[in-house]
Amino acid sequence: MTTRITTKLSRAALLGAAVLATSACGGGSANEDVAYVARDVESLYAEAQRRLDRGNTILAAALFDEVERQHPYSPWARRAQLMSAFSYYLARDYNKAIQNAQRFLSIHPGNKDAPYAYYLIALSYYEQISDVNRDQKITEQAQAALQEVNRRFPQSEYAADARLKLDLVADHLAGKEMEIGRFYQRSGQWLAAALRFRNVIEDFDTTSHTPEALYRLTESNLALGIRAEAVKYAAVLGANYPGSEWYEKAYKLIDKHADGVTPS
């Protein structure tokens, strides 16, 4: 049974959101009855596992919780805690998934499945990331949780996936900065806009948004009358992204408004 549990958790870690998409659709109802019936721990755990295997994730989570409630001092209770968190994750109840995984870590910080518990927390935040037009607090929480996985378990399969997701999170946060910066530009708040674009090139310089951020800094500094700064950012853009559309646009701006100006 232990091998079976570990295999399922590892598979979930590798598949991430793909597992979520295929398994959560049969999650079952939160109102399904999980009445207290005293059962031996193995039978109760097996029933929870059977429900999970059939895609009935909500009921599976409740039954795993029942394992811990009825048999709190059994080794099965420790396994059930993490399997409950996993089941809630598949059911898209991310708050409960995070709570149960965190509780598992608080009670069993040195357990062999602790890396997966940290990873499950990170996944649960990651799946809640919203589009760039909304508040990005959850994105920042996902970033922090993914960084924690990478910091604690750098050689693990979980860290490898976390690093890939961190790149996507950074691109998302950079996109939010760009969206705010463009809003400030449209409002004529050029200094506020420039600060947002500088955040992108300083904090998210490896993302796909960097070329546009350099162009927007060229644009914003020209609007502020700081032509030497504008020329500097255009030069950086040309040195790093010489073939991009953003450099072509920046070159035209400089040629028109700052010809002959030396970079600061």
Side-chain angles (χ1 to χ4, degrees):
M1 184 64 74
T2 302
T3 302
R4 187 181 185 189
I5 295 167
T6 303
T7 300
K8 283 184 175 293
L9 293 179
S10 297
R11 183 178 63 202
L14 292 173
L15 295 180
V19 175
L20 176 66
T22 57
S23 300
C25 58
S29 169
N31 295 322
E32 288 193 60
D33 185 29
V34 189
Y36 180 85
V37 177
R39 282 179 276 187
D40 67 274
V41 65
E42 293 190 17
S43 297
L44 187 55
Y45 191 98
E47 176 64 12
Q49 185 70 64
R50 186 177 70 84
R51 294 288 186 168
L52 181 61
D53 291 342
R54 292 174 61 181
N56 199 336
T57 52
I58 290 293
L59 185 55
L63 287 168
F64 282 123
D65 288 342
E66 192 68 10
V67 170
E68 184 185 4
R69 189 166 76 90
Q70 290 192 29
H71 307 278
Y73 305 110
S74 166
W76 295 85
R78 181 176 62 248
R79 303 172 195 171
Q81 284 176 356
L82 197 52
M83 290 301 290
S84 173
F86 176 52
S87 300
Y88 280 124
Y89 166 77
L90 292 181
R92 294 188 175 95
D93 192 338
Y94 300 118
N95 288 337
K96 285 187 178 179
I98 291 168
Q99 290 169 7
N100 282 18
Q102 288 175 335
R103 190 161 60 86
F104 174 86
L105 288 169
S106 69
I107 300 172
H108 313 289
N111 186 269
K112 63 181 178 60
D113 288 323
Y116 180 75
Y118 279 102
Y119 180 67
L120 187 56
I121 291 168
L123 279 184
S124 296
Y125 282 122
Y126 183 81
E127 295 293 349
Q128 297 180 77
I129 292 176
S130 60
D131 63 63
V132 296
N133 294 314
R134 298 185 179 182
D135 178 74
Q136 295 303 301
K137 181 179 179 181
I138 200 74
T139 309
E140 293 168 355
Q141 289 174 310
Q143 183 182 50
L146 289 164
Q147 288 171 339
E148 186 74 356
V149 171
N150 189 47
R151 183 183 70 82
R152 287 178 176 271
F153 315 104
Q155 304 305 317
S156 70
E157 60 185 323
Y158 309 123
D161 189 60
R163 287 190 289 272
L164 292 175
K165 285 181 168 56
L166 279 168
D167 289 341
L168 296 173
V169 168
D171 201 78
H172 196 85
L173 290 171
K176 181 62 176 182
E177 290 294 291
M178 293 299 298
E179 193 255 339
I180 295 172
R182 288 190 292 265
F183 169 78
Y184 283 139
Q185 278 194 328
R186 291 192 297 270
S187 304
Q189 301 179 62
W190 297 100
L191 182 58
L195 290 174
R196 292 293 181 166
F197 300 136
R198 281 181 59 188
N199 286 344
V200 173
I201 66 169
E202 291 175 1
D203 299 333
F204 308 107
D205 61 317
T206 60
T207 69
S208 61
H209 299 281
T210 303
E212 183 186 353
L214 288 165
Y215 167 74
R216 298 294 177 186
L217 280 165
T218 302
E219 196 175 43
S220 297
N221 279 284
L222 284 174
L224 289 166
I226 314 174
R227 296 192 298 166
E229 277 287 288
V231 172
K232 179 187 77 173
Y233 286 117
V236 173
L237 179 53
N240 290 278
Y241 308 96
S244 72
E245 62 171 309
W246 298 111
Y247 175 61
E248 292 179 11
K249 295 176 71 172
Y251 180 83
K252 291 178 181 177
L253 277 180
I254 294 301
D255 187 53
K256 183 177 181 179
H257 299 288
D259 186 35
V261 175
T262 303
S264 61

